[in-house]
Amino acid sequence: MNPDTSLVGKKIRQIREVMGLSRPKFAELLQVPPTTLKNYELGYREVGGAFLVALAQHPELHKYTLWLLTGQTIESVGQIAPEQDG
C-alpha cells in the first residue's frame, strides 16, 4: 500500500463523513461503484484521475480540492478542509 494512496483515501472518507453520507450515497454522487470508493478509502486502490476530476467539479465538493491534493487551504477563495466546513 502506497502511503500517499492511503492518505488520499482517508481524506476522501473525511469529506464523505462531514457531508453525512453513506459510502453508497457518496459513490452514487460521484458515479463510482461503492466497492471502488471503499477501496479508495481504505488505500487498497489508487484513486483515479477521473474520480478526482469528478470530485473537483462537483458543486458541493469542489471546495475541498486543494486540501485533498495538497493538504493546504485558502479560505479567501473558498478552498477549505472538512473540519472548516459549517
Side-chain angles (χ1 to χ4, degrees):
M1 177 186 333
N2 179 335
D4 293 336
T5 300
S6 179
L7 179 61
V8 171
K10 287 177 184 177
K11 287 180 169 184
I12 291 169
R13 183 176 181 168
Q14 281 182 265
I15 292 168
R16 177 178 64 78
E17 289 175 346
V18 161
M19 293 188 68
L21 295 176
S22 66
R23 210 175 259 146
K25 290 288 185 190
F26 195 71
E28 182 181 324
L29 192 70
L30 292 167
Q31 300 178 344
V32 297
T35 53
T36 298
L37 179 60
K38 179 181 179 182
N39 287 333
Y40 289 163
E41 287 185 357
L42 297 176
Y44 297 150
R45 183 172 175 191
E46 189 171 323
V47 179
F51 179 87
L52 292 174
V53 169
L55 192 144
Q57 292 180 342
H58 192 280
E60 294 177 60
L61 303 173
H62 73 273
K63 61 189 172 188
Y64 303 121
T65 304
L66 183 63
W67 171 80
L68 178 64
L69 299 176
T70 69
Q72 299 176 357
T73 62
I74 304 175
E75 290 183 61
S76 63
V77 296
Q79 288 294 299
I80 62 171
E83 60 269 10
Q84 294 172 295
D85 206 0

